[in-house]
Each structure stands twice: as structure tokens, then as C-alpha cells.
């Protein structure tokens, strides 16, 4: 399926779904100061796709972190602790884990928004209801993500579908014969965030694919241990960009899966009995496997799902960062 077909389906599926505002800010619009807190306290990779829109609007976007101990030198995302953060107009929580809720408690006078910047399961988070009284807007990338995010927050309120900023500039797909992109998760949990089971299955699947003559390109999760994958070529560009080169991708289902489907690259999911992900991440997969012996056949047969499934999982394409920031602007203004 072409990217144009994916785009058309994604836009069509938003009919009747609450969408955000226009993509462009007015010239006289206020330059907002926004603080963001995520479930992965030091993981800035979910905020980095928002920096271009922040620069375009002249906004100051800062991620709140417990301390600077795990922020790498040169990280483009501005960070601050609650103690050092400058005055702000809005706090955005990207989840209801311990850290975002602690930040919400610390900044009680700020307007509060909740935005799903990464996938979250539909099970209600233990602390989610502490956020309810203050939430001015809730946003998510797609209709499916909105349903999962509402369940996670334990709310029946409308969730505004804005799209994913990472789909605003999708790479053009030019698949290379025999190239398979392997998408890792995180093998070991750390203070920055949790891990997803399934690495052993994925490693074994990669070995099977290589033995069958496939070229393996590895798209590492930002927190994955690269030493586990150093026998293969590791992509020097983000997985979304690398997916444009691949005939198919195989990996542990995560936030990037719908984005790669938007590029037009079919996906195979590696699932572990202990792995729990929202159904829509599995729905964008051509198939899922729980045995490495199935990897070669699954990759050979990989196809994109139908346009309705894609649209539900991907959301609107183009102008997504603008829609998100418009929603934040309205929340800050009250």
C-alpha cells in the first residue's frame, strides 16, 4: 500500500473524532513556556520530536527531570529539575506514573494537560485520578491511542486526536531487497523506565532471518544495550527513518509501530507471554510470532493491514505538532 493510501485512510478515519485546532499559530500568539513530565523521568526521546514546532512558535519547552545525572551532554531537549525550572504557563504530563504525578503536585498553580506521547496500556494507572480535577485537555495521536489513553487515565472525557508529530515529515519509502529492520525494546529496566520482555525471542528471530539470507539492520530503542546487537548493522538514524529502507520490520511492538506502518513498511510483532501492549499496536502487525522458527515465513508474507485499521492506529498525518501545540495553547489560556 502506498503512503498516499495510508495518508488518505488516516485522514478519513478522523471524521467524527475530536480533532485539535489549526496547524499554524497566529503571528501575535503568546510564546508559551511549557514544562513536560513523562513516565520515563530522564527519557527525553519522547519530547525531542516536539522541538521543531517549539522553535517555530518561539515557545520554551522544558522537560522536568529528578536530577541531571542521566542527561547526556549535548541532549537537544532542555531539561530542569522542579527546583531549577523557570516560570511556566503550562504543565504537560505524558502519563500518570509516579514522576508526572509528583510534578503535578509540585506545580499546583499551573494549568495541566495530559498528552500521550508514547503508548500506554488501557489499564487505569494507580495515580491517574489525582490528575482529574485539574486536567484542561487530554490529547492522543490516534483514535485507537485515544481509547487506550482514556482507559489508562480512568476517564470518560473526550480525548482530542491530534496525530503524531513524528509523522509530519515521513521519509519516502525505498525498500532495499532482502533488508529487514529489527526493532528492539529495552532488555533491562532502570531508573529511566521499564523493560519489555521478548528480547531473547527477537534475538533468535534475527538469527533465523540472517541464516535465511536476509540483511539485518537493527533499530535500537534509545535505552537498549547495543552490545546485545553488535553482530549486526546498527542503524545510525532513528528507526522511523531506517524503516523506509526495509522490505519489512520485525520487533517487540511499541510506540514506533504505527509510525512505521505510516511509512508503508509492513511489520511482524514478536510477542512474549509476559508482554502486554494495547491491541492497536498488534493490529498494525501483519502477524505476530511467539516462536523464532516462524520468523522467516512471517517476514516473507508480511503485508500492511487494511486502511481502516491503519487510520485507527496512526491518526491524522500532517500538521500534527501544530494541532498538539494549539491544544496546549488553549489549555494554558483556560
Amino acid at each position: 500500500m502506498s503512503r498516499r493510501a495510508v495518508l488518505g485512510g488516516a485522514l478519513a478515519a478522523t471524521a467524527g473524532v475530536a480533532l485539535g485546532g489549526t496547524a499554524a499559530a497566529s503571528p501575535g500568539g503568546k510564546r508559551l513556556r511549557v514544562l513536560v513530565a513523562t513516565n520515563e523521568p530522564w527519557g527525553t526521546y519522547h519530547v525531542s520530536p516536539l522541538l521543531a514546532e517549539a522553535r517555530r512558535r518561539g515557545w520554551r519547552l522544558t522537560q522536568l527531570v529528578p536530577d541531571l545525572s542521566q542527561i547526556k551532554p549535548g541532549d537537544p531537549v532542555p531539561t530542569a529539575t522542579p527546583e531549577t525550572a523557570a516560570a511556566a504557563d503550562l504543565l504537560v504530563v505524558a502519563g500518570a506514573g509516579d514522576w508526572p504525578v509528583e510534578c503535578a503536585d509540585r506545580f499546583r498553580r499551573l494549568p495541566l494537560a495530559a498528552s500521550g506521547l508514547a503508548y500506554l496500556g488501557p489499564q487505569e494507572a494507580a495515580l491517574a485520578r489525582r490528575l482529574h480535577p485539574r486536567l484542561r485537555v487530554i490529547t492522543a495521536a490516534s483514535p485507537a491511542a485515544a481509547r487506550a489513553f482514556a482507559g489508562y487515565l480512568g476517564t470518560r472525557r473526550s480525548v482530542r486526536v491530534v496525530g503524531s508529530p513524528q509523522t509530519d515529515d515521513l521519509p519516502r519509502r525505498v525498500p532495499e531487497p532482502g533488508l529487514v529492520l529489527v526493532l528492539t525494546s529495552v532488555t533491562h529496566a532502570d531508573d529511566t523506565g521499564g523493560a519489555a520482555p521478548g528480547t531473547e525471542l527477537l534475538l533468535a528471530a534475527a538469527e533465523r532471518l540472517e541464516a535465511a539470507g536476509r540483511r539485518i539492520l537493527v533499530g535500537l530503542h534509545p535505552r537498549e544495550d547495543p552490545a546485545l546487537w553488535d553482530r549486526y548493522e546498527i542503524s545510525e538514524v532513528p528507526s522511523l527513518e531506517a524503516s523506509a529502507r526495509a522490505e519489512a520490520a520485525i520487533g517487540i511492538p511499541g510506540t514506533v509501530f504505527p509510525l512505521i506502518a505510516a511509512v508503508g513498511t509492513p511489520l511482524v510483532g514478536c510477542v512474549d507471554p509476559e508482554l502486554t501492549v494495547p491491541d492497536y499496536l498488534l493490529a498494525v502487525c501483519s502477524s505476530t510470532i511467539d516462536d523464532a522458527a516462524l520468523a522467516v515465513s512471517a517476514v516473507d508474507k508480511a503485508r500492511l493491514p487494511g486502511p481502516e485499521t491503519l487510520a485507527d492506529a496512526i491518526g491524522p498525518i500532517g500538521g500534527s505538532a501544530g494541532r498538539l501545540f494549539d491544544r496546549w495553547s488553549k489549555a494554558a489560556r483556560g
Side-chain angles (χ1 to χ4, degrees), residues 34 37 57 89 134 142:
V34 179
R57 297 194 181 209
D89 305 297
R134 290 176 51 200
S142 70

Side-chain angles (χ1 to χ4, degrees), residues 8 13 70 99 169 185 226 230 254 268:
Q70 298 186 52
W99 179 243
D169 187 22
S185 184
D230 59 10
V268 173

Side-chain angles (χ1 to χ4, degrees), residues 226-243:
L228 290 173
W229 300 94
D230 59 10
R231 64 176 284 184
Y232 304 112
E233 178 186 357
I234 294 178
S235 176
E236 296 182 354
V237 299
S239 296
L240 181 60
E241 184 178 346
S243 71

Side-chain angles (χ1 to χ4, degrees), residues 47 70 156 167 170 252 305:
V47 175
Q70 298 186 52
R156 294 184 178 180
T167 64
L170 289 172
I252 300 169

Side-chain angles (χ1 to χ4, degrees), residues 185-311:
S185 184
V186 183
T187 307
H188 301 291
D190 58 26
D191 289 339
T192 298
T199 297
E200 292 299 327
L201 171 61
L202 186 58
L203 282 164
E207 290 180 3
R208 295 279 187 135
L209 287 162
E210 184 182 48
R214 306 303 187 273
R215 294 168 51 216
I216 302 298
L217 177 66
V218 179
L220 288 176
H221 186 284
R223 292 191 292 111
E224 175 63 309
D225 179 3
L228 290 173
W229 300 94
D230 59 10
R231 64 176 284 184
Y232 304 112
E233 178 186 357
I234 294 178
S235 176
E236 296 182 354
V237 299
S239 296
L240 181 60
E241 184 178 346
S243 71
R245 296 175 49 197
E247 287 191 326
I250 183 171
I252 300 169
T255 301
V256 76
F257 267 47
L259 310 180
I260 287 175
V263 173
T265 301
L267 294 135
V268 173
C270 287
V271 295
D272 184 279
E274 297 182 7
L275 180 67
T276 302
V277 297
D279 289 343
Y280 74 92
L281 295 185
L282 302 178
V284 299
C285 297
S286 172
S287 64
T288 59
I289 63 170
D290 58 7
D291 184 339
L294 303 173
V296 175
S297 175
V299 165
D300 285 347
K301 297 175 182 177
R303 300 291 184 272
L304 289 175
E308 290 185 1
T309 298
L310 290 172

